Amino acid sequence: MSLRLNNLVVTHGGKVLVETAQLDFEPGRPVTIVGESGSGKSLLAHAIMGTLPANLTARGTLTVDGHSYDVSDQANRRRLWGRTMSLLPQEPVLALDPTMRAGEQVAEGALTFTADKRGARRAADALLSSLGLRQATRAFPHTLSGGMAQRVAFAAATIGGAPVLIADEPSKGLDQRARADLAELLRSHLKGGGILLTITHDLDLARELGGEVLVMKDAHVVEQGAAGQVLAQPVHPYTRRLLGAEPSHWRHPWMRGPLDAAEWADAEHGRQVESEGTLLVSGEGLTKSFGGQQLFSNLSFDVRAGERIALSGPSGSGKTTLGNILLRLLPPDAGTVQHSDALKGGRLQKLYQDPALAFPARIPLKDSLGDVVRRHRLERDRLEELMGLLGLAPELLQRRPGQISGGELQRLAIIRSMLLEPALVFADEPTSRLDLITQEETVRCLMEQVDRLDCALVLVTHDDGLAAAVTTRSIPLGVTPPLTLPQLQVTGG
């Protein structure tokens, strides 16, 4: 199996979105493309697959095992889908059909499905079981954790035996254990001589996969080479900036030193570390179960003014649930939560993981934010001041949520919460879907405001590096057992 992409150019209205010379993909050697959002990474992958949006124009040549395909013809590679090339898409929970059970969706990808549905279903059940998902074959996508949904999507993409696998931002929203499991899944595709192209902004995933790394910026590949070389000793200034945006490299005035060992031990056992700040939230004996699984039991801790606390742990461990209980948006099975009067009048705010779900989709942003200003009788100048402080152009407010980037929308969510000068902000994975550079800019915007107001922060995150950079103590939840993988074989082509 061989794959070569020659002279690819993707344009929209005369603007170049992707432009590359020659890219070769070898069996058994992973290729990972990294870069910030908008650099052209995903468009390159979809140009190979023939799944570009209809409003984009592409030219160039794709050669697969000696057969050449004009990439301007989107339909000429459809016969390769599932047999020769397969795509592991972004956001598997959204990509999977919400009306179909997991096993059936995987079975549909088997090449024998039309002729032998029963045999395809048996193969799907066996594959899902080998991936640790025996109990999930009858489950619907919305009931699965992020890591489980990703494994179902992997099974659906690979059951047909396609030797070329393209993974588009596969680790988005996954915790570190699930990401390690994902890396092992992807590497397993290479063992039978498969070709793997991964698109990601997750540098840790790129390190785990190894092989070759390509760095994209503004539609072009600006640096490429062995992963160990590019990600340890980069040459291009942009690559150095990208690596410098990892939380372990941050140096900002709002950052605080970590607690000492004794204080961390107290914090990890849920005991309150000595603090001079006003008590804002007190949780006593909190217990919660979901779906027959106990998430946490008899957990007690306080949140005081100015504190920065991380709720950490793998997907499904109860981080968001605990945060919502502290906000009194969800009742505990046992225990009590008390709020200080300092949180009245909108001074308790929440930042959501996906800011697009926190704004009305069909309403211009100026109206959404204007409602807050009017409801709380705020000065309009305050909104304009915050727009300037967070580096956003006023004309963005004329657009709807879907018409601006995720980083811009998250900064607008920060502005909306800071309009009320909160005493406590609960930030639920606010940057897990952002690239590293956008994440650093967004967190800087948030923390400068938190620091200015001496506001308490409760951060839900599965990123230990981000937690260490932003918070001073952590409350860990849950343990995920490691995933044992079978030896998957690649066939077909």
Side-chain angles (χ1 to χ4, degrees), residues 46-383:
H46 285 282
I48 292 174
M49 284 293 296
T51 52
L52 283 170
N55 62 336
L56 303 186
T57 302
R59 65 176 185 271
T61 304
L62 178 70
T63 303
V64 183
D65 260 359
H67 298 281
S68 293
Y69 300 86
D70 182 351
V71 299
S72 65
D73 179 3
Q74 292 264 58
N76 65 13
R77 280 146 289 164
R78 289 184 181 174
R79 66 183 182 85
L80 303 179
W81 293 355
R83 298 175 179 272
T84 303
M85 300 193 301
S86 60
L87 178 69
L88 184 60
Q90 294 188 36
E91 305 286 5
V93 171
L94 300 180
L96 295 170
D97 187 333
T99 67
M100 291 179 64
R101 299 182 192 275
E104 192 70 12
Q105 297 198 55
V106 174
E108 280 194 343
L111 300 182
T112 59
F113 182 76
T114 302
D116 182 12
K117 288 183 172 59
R118 186 172 297 177
R121 291 185 180 112
R122 285 197 299 269
D125 289 348
L127 179 53
L128 287 170
S129 294
S130 71
L131 297 178
L133 296 173
R134 181 184 301 275
Q135 304 302 320
T137 57
R138 300 286 297 165
F140 289 101
H142 74 276
T143 67
L144 304 175
S145 71
M148 293 170 69
Q150 188 61 272
R151 278 180 271 163
V152 170
F154 177 87
T158 58
I159 193 172
V164 179
L165 176 63
I166 300 174
D168 188 11
E169 297 284 11
S171 63
K172 184 181 286 187
L174 297 185
D175 61 68
Q176 290 174 307
R177 179 68 257 177
R179 186 187 63 216
D181 291 343
L182 169 68
E184 191 172 348
L185 278 176
L186 295 176
R187 284 194 299 267
S188 72
H189 179 77
L190 299 168
K191 293 176 182 176
I195 289 175
L196 174 66
L197 170 61
T198 305
I199 311 297
T200 187
H201 60 244
D202 185 342
L203 298 187
D204 283 332
L205 178 62
R207 292 184 180 101
E208 290 189 57
L209 291 175
E212 186 169 3
V213 167
L214 282 66
V215 182
M216 288 193 71
K217 183 182 189 304
D218 298 335
H220 297 86
V221 176
V222 297
E223 185 168 354
Q224 68 181 95
Q229 176 68 30
V230 172
L231 299 178
Q233 296 177 307
V235 175
H236 196 277
Y238 173 73
T239 310
R240 292 198 292 268
R241 170 70 183 97
L242 193 63
L243 290 165
E246 292 185 285
S248 60
H249 298 144
W250 291 359
R251 299 294 182 269
H252 294 291
W254 47 261
M255 295 174 70
R256 300 175 180 173
L259 303 180
D260 63 31
E263 290 173 324
W264 273 107
D266 279 344
E268 288 178 353
H269 287 86
R271 295 191 292 270
Q272 178 62 44
V273 177
E274 282 299 319
S275 172
E276 298 299 326
T278 302
L279 181 62
L280 299 175
V281 177
S282 178
E284 294 289 337
L286 300 176
T287 298
K288 188 67 177 179
S289 297
F290 182 78
Q293 176 186 353
Q294 188 168 82
L295 299 176
F296 44 85
S297 176
N298 198 30
L299 182 62
S300 300
F301 67 98
D302 298 335
V303 181
R304 295 177 178 270
E307 278 201 292
R308 300 174 183 179
I309 303 170
L311 304 183
S312 61
S315 298
S317 61
K319 302 184 300 295
T320 297
T321 298
L322 176 57
N324 285 332
I325 287 173
L326 292 177
L327 267 61
R328 297 200 299 209
L329 297 174
L330 187 69
D333 295 340
T336 60
V337 175
Q338 301 293 328
H339 281 191
S340 162
D341 288 345
L343 297 179
K344 291 182 177 178
R347 301 198 68 211
L348 175 59
Q349 292 289 311
K350 178 176 179 177
L351 292 177
Y352 291 84
Q353 183 173 15
D354 187 351
L357 300 179
F359 288 91
R362 299 184 180 182
I363 297 176
L365 290 160
K366 65 179 178 63
D367 293 334
S368 294
L369 290 168
D371 286 345
V372 177
V373 171
R374 287 189 296 273
R375 170 70 176 80
H376 294 276
R377 299 177 182 178
L378 306 175
E379 294 292 334
R380 180 79 184 183
D381 291 350
R382 175 65 177 151
L383 174 57

Side-chain angles (χ1 to χ4, degrees), residues 2-86:
S2 62
L3 185 72
R4 170 175 289 176
L5 184 62
N6 272 315
N7 302 317
L8 173 67
V9 179
V10 179
T11 60
H12 178 255
K15 180 181 179 181
V16 175
L17 303 179
V18 180
E19 185 171 14
T20 65
Q22 178 177 306
L23 298 178
D24 290 298
F25 305 91
E26 302 174 9
R29 181 172 174 80
V31 175
T32 306
I33 303 179
V34 301
E36 63 189 291
S37 300
S39 61
K41 307 186 304 296
S42 292
L43 291 180
L44 188 150
H46 285 282
I48 292 174
M49 284 293 296
T51 52
L52 283 170
N55 62 336
L56 303 186
T57 302
R59 65 176 185 271
T61 304
L62 178 70
T63 303
V64 183
D65 260 359
H67 298 281
S68 293
Y69 300 86
D70 182 351
V71 299
S72 65
D73 179 3
Q74 292 264 58
N76 65 13
R77 280 146 289 164
R78 289 184 181 174
R79 66 183 182 85
L80 303 179
W81 293 355
R83 298 175 179 272
T84 303
M85 300 193 301
S86 60

Side-chain angles (χ1 to χ4, degrees), residues 410-492:
Q410 190 61 281
R411 275 181 276 175
L412 282 170
I414 292 170
I415 287 174
R416 184 173 61 182
S417 67
M418 292 301 164
L419 280 169
L420 299 172
E421 299 197 342
L424 171 61
V425 172
F426 172 55
D428 186 6
E429 298 277 15
T431 63
S432 65
R433 284 166 166 77
L434 304 179
D435 64 75
L436 286 169
I437 291 176
T438 305
Q439 172 180 260
E440 182 178 15
E441 293 171 348
T442 302
V443 171
R444 176 186 58 79
C445 291
L446 170 62
M447 296 309 298
E448 285 177 351
Q449 295 302 309
V450 165
D451 206 44
R452 184 184 68 83
L453 296 172
D454 195 28
C455 173
L457 175 73
V458 176
L459 173 70
V460 168
T461 184
H462 56 249
D463 185 336
D464 290 344
L466 180 63
V470 171
T471 64
T472 53
R473 68 179 174 112
S474 177
I475 299 172
L477 300 173
V479 176
T480 300
L483 172 66
T484 301
L485 294 177
Q487 297 296 312
L488 300 182
Q489 297 297 319
V490 176
T491 60

